[in-house]
Amino acid sequence: MRRRPPLKLVLLLGAVLFIVAVLGVGLLRAATYHAPPVAGGSSGPPAIGPAVGEIGRCGSVPASAPRQLRGMWLTTVLNLDFPARPGESEAQIKGEYEKWLDVAVAQRHNAIFVHVRPSGDAFWPSQYAPWSEWLTGKRDGRSPGWDPMAFMVSEAHARNLEFHAWFNPFRGSQPAPDGPGAAFAKLAPTNPLLKHKDWAISYPTGRTARFYYDPGNPSARKYVEDSILEAVQKYDVDGVHFDDFFYPYPEKGQDFPDSASFARWGAGKSRANWRRGNVDTFMREMDQRIKQLKPWVKFGVSPFGIWRNSSSDRTGSPTDGLESYSAQYADTRKWVKQGWLDYIVPQLYWQIGFGKADYAKLLPWWSAVVQGTGVQLYIGEADYRVGESGAWSDPAQLVKQMTLDQKYPAVQGQVHYSATQVRQNKLGAVAKYRDKFYGTPALVPIMKRLPAAPPGAPRLVSAHRGARGTLDLDTKAGDGAAATSWALYRVDGASAGLVATGRAGTPVADPAAPAGHAVYCLSGLDRSGNEGPLSPPFTADAS
């Protein structure tokens, strides 16, 4: 997930790379972050692609809840979203982060994707990587004296948000702020590339050069895996998330200078196939090692929206743009078909009707790719493009795209780039899609490949009016497995709908209880989102 400073994005026309602005693609292809290429509560559940499923009966009426992943990317590289400035105090950073979570809650999201390894660095005390300069304000590797990752995970869970730790795997550094671009002398003293210079490749040339861990060097590749798994081991994350950076986006006239490792490990393959094989190995091993360590942790990728054009491969999409398969050596379709991912979030950052990469054509293509694989499909939405000239000057462009999502049951949610644009709500576009599609709370989609241990039925035992106008309900846990979270349903006429969710241990409450009597049922969910049976109905006086 990329981001500026020079936000640039490339589309391939024939064999020539064009800067996005020239093509009018409007894809912000950030040299660093996920900003990807340029590529009022309703009474009923949102009508988005993921079905609203009946999960039981609350007394005599059916109860149902939408199952949909809703999230946003919180970018740390270059301080694009968070922290606001490098080198802030612990109190400032904590306060800012809590406000970002408030944004997520206000948008009725149930997940947040936080940039914790933007450039070979770390937002946690790591044995494998130096502290991030975007956090500490310095490249000296010195600790800020506290553990941001522990705080961020805990606070997300307190609001019942899944925490997906977002890593840029092979980035080893950012360009030195005072030049030259990549120089060992400009790295933090604790940067492992100083000890293993043979792992480092500088690309491109000039002041924009940065170091990359060489994906073709088995030792470097394993070190990157270990550095990510350290975070999985130490923290209660819900997901491991990569964006579209594997091999770097190509610079015109410059090839990634990995001749030494190719000569040593190429084994007679073409350079392109060898590079793809390196990334394949990394992805397969990451999937295996995550599941061995914590089987419930989800593994997902947000790739560039075009795998291959149909002109290159008959199984490709009806597009005419840069291909992640050949530009970044990311065989994303293969990863889905092989089941090495739990979810995929293609960055479909183009408008409906855009000639070279039409949202309306890519959406069904990706839906077909995941069919029958068990890999869940979420769509990366380009909130950051709202307000651009042309199609993006229409505040309803995102609404139109998400309306299309409804037609494809394979689409089980959206992730929005990025948090700043979600908060800004430019042209009122965010409020429009929130009110139309995120009208009620939603449970995360069930991922059948993960462990399942639904808890027993809890009980509602009493109710009282809370200080903030909520109706607070006292509960008793059910038998069997402990619940990770809860879901509260309220009867409205001939059905019961989801009105609130929360993490186990947090108060159960209806934030907008009607006047008079109301009937409720409560359920518990396990770590993977599997829901147990509903409680017996409970009648509360909400006056």
Side-chain angles (χ1 to χ4, degrees):
M1 319 212 148
R2 28 214 151 298
R3 272 278 159 102
R4 56 218 82 156
L7 282 181
K8 74 178 179 183
L9 169 88
V10 288
L11 276 185
L12 189 61
L13 181 57
V16 183
L17 288 170
F18 287 89
I19 302 260
V20 172
V22 175
L23 289 175
V25 179
L27 297 182
L28 285 169
R29 170 53 73 204
T32 4
Y33 55 143
H34 165 118
V38 178
S42 65
S43 58
I48 201 71
V52 176
E54 181 178 331
I55 53 88
R57 300 187 76 80
C58 184
S60 60
V61 303
S64 61
R67 287 276 185 174
Q68 181 182 26
L69 191 286
R70 306 170 181 170
M72 65 184 184
W73 281 290
L74 186 64
T75 313
T76 60
V77 72
L78 304 175
N79 300 105
L80 292 169
D81 293 326
F82 165 80
R85 291 167 298 280
E88 292 183 332
S89 70
E90 177 181 348
Q92 287 174 310
I93 293 171
K94 285 181 174 179
E96 287 176 12
Y97 181 71
E98 289 174 327
K99 288 180 180 178
W100 284 118
L101 296 183
D102 291 344
V103 171
V105 170
Q107 300 305 320
R108 303 184 187 97
H109 289 182
N110 51 26
I112 188 165
F113 297 73
V114 181
H115 217 184
V116 298
R117 178 191 166 91
S119 302
D121 47 3
F123 270 66
W124 71 93
S126 173
Q127 297 179 13
Y128 295 86
W131 281 98
S132 177
E133 64 187 284
W134 316 117
L135 174 74
T136 66
K138 297 180 180 179
R139 239 183 224 199
D140 56 14
R142 280 187 278 184
S143 170
W146 63 292
D147 189 338
M149 185 95 151
F151 176 80
M152 292 190 296
V153 173
S154 175
E155 290 300 310
H157 285 170
R159 295 157 178 79
N160 203 32
L161 295 166
E162 284 194 340
F163 185 96
H164 290 247
W166 164 21
F167 305 85
N168 288 128
F170 295 112
R171 280 239 170 111
S173 72
Q174 286 295 323
D178 54 351
F184 289 110
K186 299 293 185 178
L187 297 178
T190 54
N191 194 307
L193 293 179
L194 291 173
K195 183 177 180 181
H196 301 280
K197 293 183 179 181
D198 58 316
W199 292 356
I201 293 182
S202 174
Y203 183 83
T205 59
R207 296 183 64 85
T208 61
R210 59 178 57 84
F211 284 120
Y212 292 86
Y213 283 87
D214 181 2
N217 184 313
S219 297
R221 198 166 56 230
K222 184 179 183 301
Y223 197 88
V224 170
E225 292 179 14
D226 292 345
S227 68
I228 294 168
L229 290 164
E230 178 193 45
V232 177
Q233 175 67 62
K234 291 178 66 172
Y235 302 99
D236 190 23
V237 301
D238 299 286
V240 169
H241 183 78
F242 301 156
D243 54 24
D244 57 331
F245 289 116
F246 296 97
Y247 279 86
Y249 278 86
E251 294 285 338
K252 187 174 181 180
Q254 298 185 49
D255 192 20
F256 190 67
D258 55 1
S259 295
S261 54
F262 177 58
R264 184 173 179 182
W265 291 290
K269 299 177 182 177
S270 71
R271 182 80 66 103
N273 286 338
W274 172 71
R275 288 174 175 172
R276 271 187 292 274
N278 295 332
V279 182
D280 285 351
T281 297
F282 173 73
M283 296 300 293
R284 183 183 67 251
E285 291 178 351
M286 282 303 308
D287 176 54
Q288 293 170 346
R289 296 182 70 185
I290 290 168
K291 293 303 185 286
Q292 288 169 357
L293 187 60
K294 292 185 177 180
W296 58 88
V297 171
K298 302 171 183 178
F299 179 37
V301 174
S302 176
F304 185 76
I306 300 172
W307 168 67
R308 300 194 79 184
N309 301 308
S310 57
S311 58
S312 300
D313 187 311
R314 62 182 180 81
T315 61
S317 54
T319 50
D320 184 23
L322 177 141
E323 301 172 331
S324 61
Y325 178 88
S326 53
Q328 300 149 289
Y329 307 97
D331 196 350
T332 52
R333 182 178 181 273
K334 178 179 181 178
W335 305 342
V336 171
K337 297 299 185 183
Q338 293 293 326
W340 297 341
L341 302 174
D342 296 312
Y343 67 85
I344 192 163
V345 194
Q347 298 170 20
L348 302 191
Y349 295 152
W350 303 280
Q351 67 266 30
I352 295 171
F354 178 66
K356 297 183 182 300
D358 187 345
Y359 186 99
K361 294 180 179 178
L362 279 161
L363 182 64
W365 186 86
W366 279 104
S367 296
V369 167
V370 303
Q371 199 69 39
T373 65
V375 177
Q376 292 186 349
L377 174 64
Y378 318 138
I379 303 301
E381 301 285 357
D383 292 49
Y384 75 100
R385 298 200 62 194
V386 172
E388 292 181 8
S389 60
W392 293 98
S393 64
D394 178 2
Q397 176 65 213
L398 290 173
V399 169
K400 293 175 183 177
Q401 294 185 357
M402 293 171 67
T403 299
L404 269 183
D405 292 351
Q406 296 178 89
K407 298 182 178 180
Y408 298 92
V411 178
Q412 298 193 52
Q414 296 85 20
V415 186
H416 298 270
Y417 190 81
S418 71
T420 292
Q421 285 75 33
V422 172
R423 182 174 65 183
Q424 285 178 344
N425 186 28
K426 192 177 294 184
L427 304 183
V430 172
K432 287 180 183 295
Y433 71 67
R434 178 200 62 207
D435 293 344
K436 185 173 179 63
F437 299 109
Y438 301 164
T440 69
L443 306 178
V444 297
I446 295 173
M447 198 167 277
K448 294 183 179 179
R449 60 175 59 204
L450 302 184
R459 287 178 54 205
L460 293 165
V461 295
S462 63
H464 54 92
R465 178 62 68 177
R468 297 184 179 181
T470 61
L471 181 72
D472 298 341
L473 296 124
D474 298 315
T475 68
K476 183 176 181 180
D479 297 329
T484 297
S485 59
W486 53 262
L488 182 65
Y489 297 83
R490 185 178 69 223
V491 174
D492 183 7
S495 64
L498 184 68
V499 294
T501 69
R503 202 76 172 178
T506 60
V508 176
D510 181 351
H517 295 289
V519 177
Y520 294 92
C521 285
L522 182 71
S523 70
L525 296 91
D526 68 12
R527 181 61 187 265
S528 302
N530 299 287
E531 192 168 14
L534 291 172
S535 69
F538 176 81
T539 301
D541 184 357
S543 60

